[in-house]
Amino acid sequence: MPERKKVLLRLDPAIHDAVARWAGDELRSTNAQIEFLLRRALAQAGRLPNDAGRMPRRGRPPREETGSEEGDEAGTLEL
């Protein structure tokens, strides 16, 4: 995967605060929320490049399937 570009972005403080709150609501970083919004705007305008990589997945990696019932039951909590 090519190295991600770094840019300095100047925003109105009220806009930054609104994006940061929105990012928190969606469990994203502010940076990831800005990239998400830019990608969505580019796609809607028909300008998202075909060779644009996917958004990097953040957070905990997916749980591996163990194939045994013991492993499946060990991590579950029934309420």
Side-chain angles (χ1 to χ4, degrees):
M1 177 179 204
E3 186 175 328
R4 296 177 63 78
K5 297 280 187 173
K6 299 174 187 174
V7 297
L8 174 64
L9 178 63
R10 291 179 179 85
L11 295 173
D12 180 287
I15 298 298
H16 181 274
D17 291 344
V19 171
R21 281 192 308 275
W22 191 2
D25 292 345
E26 306 228 348
L27 302 177
R28 290 189 182 105
S29 68
T30 302
N31 188 73
Q33 185 72 8
I34 291 169
E35 183 173 358
F36 171 80
L37 294 170
L38 285 171
R39 284 172 176 272
R40 188 168 68 180
L42 285 166
Q44 287 176 347
R47 295 178 172 264
L48 184 64
N50 292 332
D51 62 346
R54 300 185 88 187
M55 290 260 316
R57 293 199 53 120
R58 302 290 186 211
R60 181 176 293 171
R63 188 171 162 188
E64 290 186 24
E65 294 296 324
T66 60
S68 71
E69 291 182 25
E70 291 177 18
D72 292 341
E73 291 178 12
T76 60
L77 176 64
E78 293 185 25
L79 299 176

